[in-house]
Amino acid sequence: QVQLQESGPGLVKPSGTLSLTCAVSGDSISSSTWWTWVRQPPGKGLEWIGEINHSESPNYSPSLKSRVTIFVDESKNQFSLKLTSVTAADTAVYYCAGDIDGTFHLDYWGQGALLTVSS
Amino acid sequence: QSVLTQPPSASGTPGQRVTISCSGSSSNIGSNDVYWYQQLPGTAPKLLIYRNHQRPSGVPDRFSGSKSDTSASLAISGLRSEDEADYYCAAWDDSLSAGVFGGGTKLTVL
């Protein structure tokens, strides 16, 4: 059974950098799975942020591409999200997920981590 | 404004059949598989339908998906109170080289 667990600071100051990590168990970070980040602002819908696979270049949402980086740490079997120059609009629950065949087949989900941007 | 268009709400009474639509374009639904996710209140989304009409193990056959051209739909038959949730369609968009979700449909069981 694959399990994903997000971790992060909970609170980030405006103009700062948001960093989140997703620990993966039950699957290798180096498998064919596309490791994905999705976010959900309070009371709103889901937004795809981006994805990474160990052997391919990452893909990012065009609206976030200039501010986002997703990378893998094979030694810790985890992947991470970095979002720079954050504003209140980036306040959301951030989910990590696993796309088992690179077609948006998000079979695994973390429980979600709330990140609030506030001074 | 979502790339995939869903009605914001839907409703039905127990036992009824409800359908949720998802409209896209040739660059997403028209050329890629559609996925449906169910999000119960306060929980993470869960895969409900994959590759347009396939059900993961454990998903009741009351849930069914279909796709035609640039549109897709999710049907729920024999509606139950525990089906009350938000439902999202999703697909890869070749023009954006990105994944896109619909805006979500809140299903209320009356």
Side-chain angles (χ1 to χ4, degrees), chain A residues 39-53:
Chain A
R39 71 180 182 179
Q40 184 171 36
K44 297 188 177 180
L46 302 173
E47 180 184 13
W48 185 88
I49 298 172
E51 62 179 7
I52 191 168
N53 176 277

Side-chain angles (χ1 to χ4, degrees), chain A residues 45-65:
Chain A
L46 302 173
E47 180 184 13
W48 185 88
I49 298 172
E51 62 179 7
I52 191 168
N53 176 277
H54 82 288
S55 62
E56 310 253 5
S57 299
N59 295 305
Y60 299 127
S61 167
S63 64
L64 297 170
K65 193 169 188 173

Side-chain angles (χ1 to χ4, degrees), chain A residues 41 44-48 61-63, chain B residues 1-6 8 23-24 28 93 96 99-104:
Chain A
K44 297 188 177 180
L46 302 173
E47 180 184 13
W48 185 88
S61 167
S63 64
Chain B
Q1 192 86 359
S2 301
V3 173
L4 304 181
T5 301
Q6 297 179 235
S23 177
N28 42 66
D93 190 295
L96 299 173
V100 289
F101 283 101

Side-chain angles (χ1 to χ4, degrees), chain B:
Chain B
Q1 192 86 359
S2 301
V3 173
L4 304 181
T5 301
Q6 297 179 235
S9 63
S11 63
T13 56
Q16 265 191 333
R17 182 178 189 270
V18 297
T19 302
I20 297 171
S21 63
C22 176
S23 177
S25 68
S26 58
S27 64
N28 42 66
I29 294 178
S31 50
N32 294 296
D33 290 328
V34 176
Y35 295 79
W36 289 90
Y37 296 90
Q38 178 193 56
Q39 186 176 33
L40 296 169
T43 69
K46 166 193 156 186
L47 180 65
L48 192 66
I49 296 288
Y50 67 98
R51 293 185 198 143
N52 308 314
H53 61 88
Q54 304 287 341
R55 282 187 308 276
S57 64
V59 174
D61 60 6
R62 301 186 296 105
F63 294 90
S64 62
S66 64
K67 176 183 132 174
S68 178
D69 295 328
T70 59
S71 292
S73 63
L74 172 71
I76 310 171
S77 60
L79 199 60
R80 303 176 69 160
S81 59
E82 57 260 41
D83 298 333
E84 195 161 276
D86 294 323
Y87 293 86
Y88 295 89
C89 60
W92 186 258
D93 190 295
D94 291 335
S95 295
L96 299 173
S97 292
V100 289
F101 283 101
T105 299
K106 183 176 185 61
L107 175 64
T108 301
V109 181
L110 302 169

Side-chain angles (χ1 to χ4, degrees), chain A residues 81-111:
Chain A
L81 167 71
K82 184 182 291 188
L83 184 66
T84 61
S85 304
V86 298
T87 69
D90 295 310
T91 293
V93 174
Y94 286 75
Y95 295 101
C96 60
D99 176 352
I100 65 171
D101 57 18
T103 63
F104 219 145
H105 191 147
L106 298 171
D107 215 14
Y108 321 131
W109 290 79
Q111 64 185 29

